[in-house]
Amino acid sequence: MAFFKAKEEQVSLKLLVNTETNKVLFAEAEKDFVDILCSFLTLPLGTIASLLQKESNMGPVTIGCLNKLYRSVENLRLLPSNNSSEDYCRTLKINIDDTQPTKYFMCSKFNDYNYRYHHYLTTGTNKLYCSFGNRLNRSVSLAQLCNGFVKDAATFIVTDNLTVLPHSMDHTLFGLINNLGMQSTSLVKEMTVNVTKKKVLDLLKCSLLSKTPLTDLFLGMKPSIASSRILPYDIKNVIDGGIYITVKLVVRKSSNTILFAQGGQDFADLIIRFLTFPLGGVLRKLEGNSSLGSIDGLYKSITNLNEDNYFKCKEARNRLLTLSVLHYYCNYRFDARNKRIFDAMLFKRDDEDRSNDGNFRKMKLVNTISSMGSPYGQVNRPEMYVVTDDLVVEPLLSPISSLYLLNRFEIPLSDLKEQVVVIGMKESLSILKAALTSTSALTNGLRHLLTKVKAEE
Ligand SMILES: *[C@@H]1O[C@H](CO)[C@@H](O)[C@H](O)[C@H]1NC(C)=O
Ligand SMILES: *[C@@H]1O[C@H](CO)[C@@H](O)[C@H](O)[C@H]1NC(C)=O
Ligand SMILES: *[C@@H]1O[C@H](CO)[C@@H](O)[C@H](O)[C@H]1NC(C)=O
Ligand SMILES: *[C@@H]1O[C@H](CO)[C@@H](O)[C@H](O)[C@H]1NC(C)=O
Ligand SMILES: *[C@@H]1O[C@H](CO)[C@@H](O)[C@H](O)[C@H]1NC(C)=O
Ligand SMILES: *[C@@H]1O[C@H](CO)[C@@H](O)[C@H](O)[C@H]1NC(C)=O
């Protein structure tokens, strides 16, 4: 219990406002604020969904199917591990991600016998064994690769739609104001605001919904939610990711919409795994076209910043782009005489970052799934699942239980048909994209697979 209330952290931000239109032209921001914007891209979709449910100044908001997916998975107690970028975000001045830092454990002692177990790492539990009598119970901490994302001394310009530009010869006040179509500076006023944690949560919500988040947030307007179009995902360049998941779709003939899809654990896990994808990695997969509020511009501008000039370290920029599983590296000093390790530190490294030298040992993460605490236990998870068009995931316990499901929709059987489809990488990305901006993720994501029903005579 705290006996005094700690002073709330805040980040100050200088805004340039057009007094005629009452809109923010741009903000002058320093590291603290830009790091917060960067951190949005590192948040896994599941974390975003849980943050959106929270009250801030704005009340809860909904993004596509994410909230429903999150809640259904929470009810099933199948929430996947929230391995966000804790190592970077811990150093943020204001961090809205309240999830508990992950606990990591490695083998308690090292010797020649269990050398091959050195590389095991576990999260959440310290009850597993590397080898007889040697538990995975040595707590290791995640090392900070660098302090936040952007350099301390850098100054940035952030436009109302969250485009982040470096303050440089290319972006002078004159040029910016000219660009924004203003004839004179007499209508421009400067304003300094304090950004608190609540405001940061508001900002996250606005950034996902609005094209003018700074105006919405600081000049007290409601977020203008541009209704995003669902563009069919252009699937040309998708490499075959080795995903082949067969599912059975239940389609409503009259509207050619999918009511739900029935599949096995692989299908449920494919959908549940969406929640583990960090926003930046999703944007990369979708080539910057998520259609979410101002996120696409934020993503593009941040990834366009020159790595050497503006980022603290190479890994910081890479982290914003990662979707793939990160590898852990452990750096430790081994006391050969006493056969023990000390100073163990854990690093996260990108798949693509090949710059690791011999000092880093590759760690294999074991049992991430079993630490999820499924009520069914690991072995007895249901075999069959139903996923509705808006991505509610439910176990299908028996054939008869699908009757209740069908009844829920109150659609005559004559209007329904079943269709078996195979979901590959391209389909899974397409569902993911539709899930961000629509409440019909399956119908929009799998439209190209739906066989046309001929108008009946
Ligand atoms: C994920 O975060 C939630 C909320 O802080 C926490 O209860 C849960 O244990 C975390 N999951 C894992 C696998 O760390
Ligand atoms: C780890 O487990 C081993 C074997 O059960 C035990 O001897 C040791 O005391 C444990 N260490 C810690 C830090 O709990
Ligand atoms: C921002 O915070 C500082 C320091 O707490 C305070 O002096 C200042 O008045 C605040 N500004 C606004 C606009 O609230
Ligand atoms: C993203 O949008 C751009 C322009 O709007 C378009 O050229 C490109 O094909 C789109 N990419 C994807 C993957 O949809
Ligand atoms: C963001 O706003 C700036 C300035 O108004 C404009 O030039 C730019 O095209 C906008 N970016 C996006 C992605 O809409
Ligand atoms: C993150 O969680 C996913 C899903 O549980 C898991 O597959 C992956 O290995 C984890 N990655 C890290 C770096 O913990």
Side-chain angles (χ1 to χ4, degrees):
M1 228 203 300
F3 290 98
F4 56 90
K5 196 170 177 286
K7 199 170 145 287
E8 194 190 12
E9 285 290 1
Q10 53 186 29
V11 171
S12 102
L13 193 65
K14 227 180 251 173
L15 303 175
L16 211 58
V17 176
N18 180 341
T19 52
E20 196 178 32
T21 57
N22 201 32
K23 288 205 151 166
V24 172
L25 294 170
F26 57 82
E28 193 179 289
E30 285 167 7
K31 174 182 170 62
D32 287 335
F33 186 73
V34 176
D35 270 356
I36 290 169
L37 290 177
C38 289
S39 75
F40 289 177
L41 297 176
T42 69
L43 295 175
L45 297 182
T47 306
I48 291 180
S50 85
L51 289 171
L52 296 180
Q53 295 175 12
K54 289 193 188 169
E55 288 287 337
S56 48
N57 300 307
M58 268 178 75
V61 302
T62 304
I63 302 294
C65 306
L66 281 190
N67 308 50
K68 282 204 168 171
L69 171 61
Y70 182 81
R71 272 200 299 271
S72 70
V73 172
E74 196 177 33
N75 288 340
L76 290 179
R77 301 227 241 131
L78 280 177
L79 276 185
S81 67
N82 352 303
N83 41 31
S84 56
S85 292
E86 289 163 14
D87 45 341
Y88 287 89
C89 296
R90 252 195 328 231
T91 63
L92 294 179
K93 190 115 182 243
I94 301 175
N95 185 7
I96 46 173
D97 182 2
D98 293 326
T99 46
Q100 290 294 314
T102 318
K103 289 200 171 80
Y104 300 91
F105 301 96
M106 52 194 276
C107 296
S108 60
K109 49 184 191 285
F110 282 2
N111 55 43
D112 296 336
Y113 289 119
N114 61 21
Y115 179 78
R116 67 199 171 98
Y117 300 109
H118 291 189
H119 310 295
Y120 286 141
L121 183 72
T122 177
T123 62
T125 172
N126 58 1
K127 302 269 184 281
L128 300 183
Y129 284 88
C130 311
S131 59
F132 184 71
N134 190 1
R135 271 211 179 121
L136 278 158
N137 63 359
R138 172 182 282 268
S139 172
V140 279
S141 53
L142 214 51
Q144 265 160 244
L145 285 179
C146 51
N147 190 354
F149 299 93
V150 296
K151 287 195 172 160
D152 299 355
T155 307
F156 298 88
I157 285 152
V158 181
T159 62
D160 199 10
N161 59 14
L162 302 189
T163 302
V164 178
L165 304 167
H167 181 223
S168 68
M169 295 287 277
D170 299 338
H171 306 290
T172 58
L173 178 71
F174 177 76
L176 285 164
I177 292 193
N178 234 5
N179 237 349
L180 293 164
M182 296 203 56
Q183 310 300 324
S184 109
T185 52
S186 62
L187 294 171
V188 174
K189 120 182 142 181
E190 190 191 304
M191 184 179 155
T192 303
V193 291
N194 289 330
V195 183
T196 56
K197 190 163 177 175
K198 249 188 189 170
K199 283 273 187 208
V200 174
L201 189 47
D202 286 337
L203 180 61
L204 175 69
K205 292 173 179 175
C206 288
S207 70
L208 292 161
L209 293 170
S210 161
K211 303 255 184 242
T212 55
L214 296 184
T215 297
D216 298 339
L217 209 54
F218 299 111
L219 303 179
M221 298 194 198
K222 284 242 172 337
S224 55
I225 302 163
S227 63
S228 41
R229 292 166 303 149
I230 307 296
L231 307 164
Y233 179 55
D234 183 6
I235 315 152
K236 277 173 297 207
N237 304 323
V238 174
I239 18 164
D240 171 19
I243 303 178
Y244 299 97
I245 296 174
T246 306
V247 301
K248 194 176 267 179
L249 306 177
V250 173
V251 180
R252 179 172 196 177
K253 288 192 267 184
S254 55
S255 55
N256 208 30
T257 52
I258 299 170
L259 294 187
F260 56 86
Q262 200 173 314
Q265 284 181 5
D266 53 355
F267 177 53
D269 288 347
L270 176 85
I271 303 294
I272 292 172
R273 197 142 285 155
F274 289 171
L275 296 174
T276 67
F277 295 165
L279 186 57
V282 170
L283 264 288
R284 178 147 91 153
K285 281 278 180 227
L286 301 178
E287 293 170 21
N289 294 0
S290 71
S291 313
L292 281 172
S294 305
I295 293 293
D296 295 350
L298 172 66
Y299 167 82
K300 282 179 200 155
S301 61
I302 287 184
T303 55
N304 280 341
L305 289 179
N306 182 290
E307 186 176 289
D308 297 328
N309 295 350
Y310 300 107
F311 282 97
K312 287 286 268 195
C313 62
K314 186 167 178 285
E315 289 83 5
R317 183 174 176 278
N318 288 349
R319 185 58 63 83
L320 300 172
L321 302 167
T322 315
L323 181 66
S324 50
V325 173
L326 299 169
H327 288 302
Y328 285 93
Y329 293 88
C330 194
N331 198 4
Y332 53 80
R333 285 191 289 145
F334 183 58
D335 174 358
R337 200 157 51 101
N338 296 312
K339 297 232 160 75
R340 63 191 185 101
I341 46 167
F342 45 100
D343 292 348
M345 297 271 257
L346 208 56
F347 296 83
K348 280 179 173 181
R349 280 280 171 108
D350 297 307
D351 273 348
E352 288 137 72
D353 182 9
R354 310 232 177 270
S355 64
N356 56 305
D357 51 60
N359 290 330
F360 293 106
R361 308 282 175 101
K362 206 164 182 171
M363 304 294 287
K364 185 173 170 188
L365 196 60
V366 288
N367 97 306
T368 46
I369 302 286
S370 62
S371 63
M372 299 190 312
S374 149
Y376 311 106
Q378 197 40 34
V379 202
N380 301 323
R381 253 185 81 185
E383 291 294 325
M384 295 295 298
Y385 289 85
V386 156
V387 177
T388 60
D389 200 12
D390 52 0
L391 298 192
V392 173
V393 180
E394 294 174 41
L396 192 59
L397 300 171
S398 71
I400 293 181
S401 63
S402 38
L403 181 72
Y404 296 106
L405 188 67
L406 279 177
N407 285 346
R408 230 194 282 162
F409 291 100
E410 295 181 341
I411 293 170
L413 280 182
S414 60
D415 193 16
L416 297 179
K417 64 165 181 167
E418 283 189 338
Q419 186 183 337
V420 174
V421 297
V422 176
I423 294 186
M425 190 59 130
K426 139 181 161 180
E427 285 72 29
S428 72
L429 283 176
S430 182
I431 297 172
L432 173 61
K433 179 166 187 184
L436 297 176
T437 48
S438 86
T439 51
S440 301
L442 295 183
T443 299
N444 287 321
L446 299 177
R447 197 181 292 285
H448 61 291
L449 298 181
L450 291 180
T451 48
K452 278 273 179 304
V453 197
K454 288 200 190 71
E456 281 166 38
E457 298 295 303

